[in-house]
Amino acid sequence: MSTKITPFLAVAILFGFYHLYISLLRLFRPRLPYPPGPRGYPLIGDLFNAISNTHKGSKDINQHEWARYLEMGRKYSSDIIHVNVLGDHTLILNSAKAATELLEKRSGLYSDRPRLYMMSDLCGWHWNLATMPYSNKWRLHRRIFHQDFQAKAVSTYHPFILQATSNFLRKLVPIEYDPLHAPEIEHVDLESYVRDHAGSIILRVVYGITAQEDLNDYVRLAYLASESLIATMNHGSFFVDYLPWLKFIPAWFPGASFKQKANTWAPMVSDLANGPWKTLKSSMANGTALPCFATKNMEKFNLSNLDINSIENSNNLNSEPDMEEVIKNCSAIAYFGGSDTTVSLVMSSILALSHHPEVLKKAHEELDRVVGPSRLPEIGDRDELPYIDAIIKEVERIYPVTPLGVPHRVISDDVYEGYFIPKGTTVVPNVEAILHSEELYQDPLKFNPDRFLRNDKDSELPPNPELFSFGFGRRICPGRHFALDTAWVLIACLLATCDVTRPLEESQKGCRTPDPVLDYFDGEIAHPKPYKCRIVPRSITALNLMKAGYPSEN
């Protein structure tokens, strides 16, 4: 009696031999140690600590995720830390040296992203360019985005930045000019002004949206959707990132509160991607669309007449309907990124300035000398205003927008300084730890813009925070030039026209509370906790500048 080997059985046997070969290869390969870190237990690894730290809200600044990772590095006397949870490996990089070596010099191995099941699968952020896997699909999205947001292209958006900055200054104009009794500005009001400013620029640039009702709706939509991204973008923020099968359990199941959160967040994320896009398609259909990022790319690929619904079920990246999806995705991430990260940088800048009158005084002196009292600062003045640039760099350093960066994933086994890094490891650059390193920045917890000013030809400046705060290697943020130009104009104009101080009661009592360096909400994008400040026009002349704004021809 003979046994007939079917094609299926042959494939199964070959598959079995292959896995046996791989297992033996690993068994007899000289085994290097993992980097230092908690030993955990067999099979489950550091499971119990992961459970205790998964998506916990903390009011103690020392329990922020980046601070916990830094403390682990000190405990194990290493700038790289390895954590294993149920076979899911994570590598934390607490130094510029490690981040540069792995994420920059070995970017070919470290440019992938881990699968964030809570964020992408359950909340619907799968279209997010920043977290897409390293693939041809990502390259296509990146190329489309980069063409219109590279440094040379951003200058075409400067008129919109100046117009929005004029509107922002007018919102700050007091009813009566009274420097001694100017009202305090609550955080919630100030943040709404900053969000309106950032949102109006990016919505005009990306979708050509200018109607105030639409601007209000979409600025608020970006704010609501940001909660889900901030909460889910750090690998392991929710336990479903470690056990993907959990995404299939129903929301009513005991312990499935993460599904309830996802069910609340997902419609907002969907509206974020589709709401302004439908507005754009409607304006294109009736011939009222303004030239913008989306229309330019739609016309470039001859997609102006395609129906948005035709892209829903197509997966071939070479087909025209999918090019529309790519443009829609790029538009959505530009809209969201420009709406939230700029807000974080500006709100942190105002907070820092209100606590440092000595910095405010130096900024006023430089602006008065270079720009004078008769006009607002222009982007062309930037090279002549190094102290303003230094302030923004110091804000980026001491209050980084993304304290843990965006996680990377290694695509094959690697070795670093004698340690084994297995394929599939999630790699987390601890950006806040790097930017507060005493080796790179003297007295790192002190807010000191002067550190970025060259005192003589031979003096050596510390690293520019932008080397770390906007990502690494091939995954560096492609929208950084737009974000920095937007923030620079607003901060320069605010400093040129206003005093930014603490609340009057604190000033009168001579209250000197510690710098709120670490007093931030935890999450992927850092936002300062609510604060009050006083923003007062420096003079009647400055008040008139705020009312006038930039000339209309800009």
Side-chain angles (χ1 to χ4, degrees):
M1 180 176 178
S2 63
T3 302
K4 184 178 180 181
I5 300 179
T6 65
F8 176 80
L9 183 58
V11 170
I13 292 172
L14 289 174
F15 190 72
F17 274 116
Y18 171 76
H19 275 276
L20 178 61
Y21 168 76
I22 294 296
S23 299
L24 290 173
L25 190 65
R26 290 179 175 175
L27 179 64
F28 292 105
R29 178 182 58 192
R31 182 62 181 274
L32 294 172
Y34 291 124
R39 296 186 62 179
Y41 299 92
L43 298 180
I44 65 171
D46 199 38
L47 174 64
F48 298 121
N49 280 333
I51 292 174
S52 65
N53 289 308
T54 297
H55 197 63
K56 65 177 182 181
S58 174
K59 297 181 179 179
D60 183 353
I61 60 176
N62 293 318
Q63 292 182 13
H64 282 296
E65 197 75 354
W66 75 266
R68 187 172 69 87
Y69 286 152
L70 182 58
E71 185 58 35
M72 288 171 63
R74 291 169 178 160
K75 177 180 178 181
Y76 295 104
S77 301
S78 176
D79 63 346
I80 57 173
I81 300 299
H82 170 259
V83 178
N84 171 25
V85 178
L86 298 172
D88 183 293
H89 299 272
T90 298
L91 186 70
I92 298 101
L93 310 179
N94 282 331
S95 72
K97 174 189 173 185
T100 301
E101 175 62 36
L102 298 181
L103 306 184
E104 292 281 351
K105 296 181 180 179
R106 307 186 195 183
S107 61
L109 290 181
Y110 288 84
S111 293
D112 200 11
R113 298 295 196 200
R115 184 74 176 268
L116 302 171
Y117 292 93
M118 179 66 175
M119 177 185 170
S120 297
D121 293 30
L122 296 180
C123 294
W125 285 97
H126 52 84
W127 48 264
N128 185 356
L129 171 64
T131 54
M132 278 184 186
Y134 189 62
S135 61
N136 288 334
K137 179 180 179 181
W138 170 80
R139 291 184 185 91
L140 179 58
H141 280 76
R142 171 86 179 199
R143 185 168 66 250
I144 297 297
F145 191 104
H146 174 75
Q147 288 172 353
D148 287 278
F149 287 95
Q150 59 183 305
K152 293 180 180 179
V154 168
S155 61
T156 61
Y157 307 138
H158 288 169
F160 308 135
I161 294 175
L162 300 184
Q163 180 183 357
T165 303
S166 296
N167 294 336
F168 175 83
L169 292 174
R170 293 185 187 113
K171 289 181 180 180
L172 295 178
V173 171
I175 297 176
E176 296 182 4
Y177 176 61
D178 185 355
L180 296 179
H181 300 93
E184 297 172 4
I185 296 181
E186 297 279 357
H187 176 274
V188 64
D189 296 324
L190 179 61
E191 186 179 38
S192 70
Y193 297 162
V194 176
R195 286 193 180 277
D196 288 346
H197 166 264
S200 65
I201 297 171
I202 198 64
L203 285 164
R204 172 61 185 88
V205 166
V206 174
Y207 300 106
I209 292 175
T210 58
Q212 192 60 51
E213 183 178 356
D214 287 337
L215 290 174
N216 293 341
D217 289 344
Y218 293 137
V219 167
R220 176 166 174 75
L221 178 58
Y223 172 69
L224 293 174
S226 69
E227 180 185 0
S228 64
L229 182 135
I230 290 171
T232 62
M233 201 167 170
N234 285 338
H235 178 68
S237 295
F238 289 84
F239 209 66
V240 67
D241 286 344
Y242 296 125
L243 296 176
W245 57 265
L246 289 175
K247 68 182 182 180
F248 297 111
I249 67 175
W252 53 261
F253 196 81
S257 59
F258 72 96
K259 288 292 293 283
Q260 297 168 19
K261 289 179 180 291
N263 290 342
T264 299
W265 287 333
M268 300 177 193
V269 177
S270 177
D271 289 346
L272 181 77
N274 294 311
W277 186 255
K278 289 179 180 178
T279 299
L280 168 78
K281 292 299 295 285
S282 176
S283 64
M284 291 179 69
N286 60 34
T288 60
L290 297 175
C292 59
F293 169 84
T295 59
K296 174 184 175 181
N297 281 283
M298 292 285 281
E299 291 166 2
K300 178 179 179 180
F301 291 98
N302 194 26
L303 302 172
S304 303
N305 298 319
L306 288 177
D307 182 358
I308 186 174
N309 294 321
S310 67
I311 68 173
E312 296 298 329
N313 299 316
S314 179
N315 294 313
N316 181 4
L317 278 175
N318 295 319
S319 66
E320 287 187 341
D322 280 320
M323 282 309 304
E324 180 170 353
E325 184 179 23
V326 170
I327 297 166
K328 183 181 82 163
N329 293 345
C330 290
S331 299
I333 194 56
Y335 154 46
F336 176 78
S339 299
D340 200 51
T341 54
T342 302
V343 173
S344 172
L345 178 56
V346 170
M347 292 299 292
S348 295
S349 299
I350 294 173
L351 174 61
L353 290 166
S354 71
H355 280 249
H356 292 279
E358 74 284 359
V359 172
L360 192 72
K361 181 180 179 182
K362 288 184 179 181
H364 285 165
E365 291 172 352
E366 181 179 77
L367 285 159
D368 291 345
R369 183 177 67 254
V370 175
V371 178
S374 61
R375 67 177 179 88
L376 293 171
E378 300 275 0
I379 295 179
D381 299 318
R382 194 166 184 172
D383 290 341
E384 302 300 320
L385 296 168
Y387 194 68
I388 306 303
D389 260 359
I391 290 173
I392 295 175
K393 287 178 181 177
E394 183 67 342
V395 171
E396 290 179 79
R397 185 194 70 79
I398 207 165
Y399 309 102
V401 173
T402 53
L404 289 176
V406 182
H408 292 237
R409 177 182 178 274
V410 60
I411 62 175
S412 64
D413 291 352
D414 195 19
V415 176
Y416 175 66
E417 294 194 340
Y419 294 118
F420 175 62
I421 303 172
K423 174 183 177 180
T425 296
T426 296
V427 183
V428 178
N430 194 342
V431 173
E432 185 121 7
I434 293 171
L435 293 175
H436 289 100
S437 167
E438 293 181 355
E439 295 180 5
L440 299 181
Y441 305 99
Q442 185 178 6
D443 198 2
L445 295 184
K446 180 180 180 181
F447 186 82
N448 178 25
D450 289 276
R451 73 174 79 243
F452 295 110
L453 298 177
R454 193 179 300 279
N455 296 321
D456 57 69
K457 293 182 179 179
D458 298 325
S459 63
E460 184 176 350
L461 298 180
N464 188 335
E466 292 169 21
L467 294 173
F468 313 111
S469 59
F470 284 100
F472 299 86
R474 302 176 189 181
R475 302 305 294 245
I476 190 170
C477 173
R480 63 194 183 280
H481 306 294
F482 179 85
L484 289 173
D485 281 5
T486 301
W488 188 91
V489 173
L490 187 146
I491 293 167
C493 287
L494 184 65
L495 287 169
T497 57
C498 295
D499 286 316
V500 183
T501 64
R502 295 185 182 202
L504 190 61
E505 182 179 352
E506 290 185 13
S507 301
Q508 290 174 341
K509 292 181 178 180
C511 180
R512 293 294 296 173
T513 56
D515 285 348
V517 174
L518 308 176
D519 198 13
Y520 274 59
F521 290 115
D522 209 4
E524 175 61 24
I525 300 176
H527 287 275
K529 292 182 180 179
Y531 63 85
K532 293 181 181 180
C533 66
R534 295 177 72 238
I535 299 179
V536 186
R538 296 174 62 193
S539 64
I540 292 293
T541 301
L543 178 68
N544 290 332
L545 276 180
M546 295 171 70
K547 291 179 179 179
Y550 284 98
S552 57
E553 60 265 25
N554 284 330

